[in-house]
Amino acid sequence: MNRRIGPSILIGLGVFLAVFVLAVLMSAALQRLFDSVQQWQQWRADYYWSLLTWRLLLYTTLTVGWLKLKARLCELQRLNSRGRLLKIEILFVFLVLLIELCKVLFQNGGAQ
């Protein structure tokens, strides 16, 4: 068990570091593109439908990939993990709904 913990911690730290660096780079890029937070929020509001289309395409791609991966599981593995897979799928749907509801409700930078 100890042999699995070390690599798992390293992978987790690596993913965290990669996300952190990506966030810093995106923040720097946004600061160069937009003069203020208000300008960024206005751009988001102006391009809401284009960004929604992009997110829906991304969700569709993830769903198709997941279904193909799930189909490749052998029948015995699918039967053994059926409940867990269903929970993951339901959580994914709730996550997508939560993200999109937040985008709609807070489209202009927050509740007024």
Side-chain angles (χ1 to χ4, degrees):
M1 178 141 174
N2 288 336
R3 292 181 197 169
R4 287 187 243 159
I5 292 174
S8 297
I9 290 174
L10 288 176
I11 289 172
L13 286 174
V15 168
F16 174 77
L17 183 62
V19 169
F20 179 76
V21 168
L22 183 63
V24 168
L25 291 174
M26 286 182 64
S27 177
L30 287 174
Q31 285 180 349
R32 285 186 164 268
L33 290 173
F34 300 102
D35 295 331
S36 66
V37 174
Q38 290 80 15
Q39 188 181 14
W40 160 248
Q41 290 173 347
Q42 185 60 44
W43 181 85
R44 267 189 23 207
D46 292 344
Y47 289 94
Y48 174 77
W49 294 107
S50 300
L51 294 170
L52 175 65
T53 304
W54 163 250
R55 288 191 308 273
L56 290 175
L57 180 64
L58 181 65
Y59 299 145
T60 303
T61 303
L62 287 172
T63 302
V64 168
W66 171 255
L67 292 175
K68 285 184 178 182
L69 181 66
K70 188 176 164 183
R72 291 179 63 188
L73 289 174
C74 71
E75 189 66 31
L76 182 60
Q77 287 176 327
R78 260 188 282 169
L79 289 175
N80 289 339
S81 60
R82 193 168 125 194
R84 288 181 283 179
L85 292 177
L86 183 60
K87 286 178 187 178
I88 291 170
E89 292 164 349
I90 290 170
L91 286 174
F92 177 76
V93 169
F94 281 135
L95 177 65
V96 167
L97 288 174
L98 181 65
I99 289 170
E100 292 308 318
L101 282 174
C102 286
K103 296 285 183 190
V104 168
L105 295 174
F106 301 112
Q107 190 178 62
N108 294 322
Q112 303 293 323

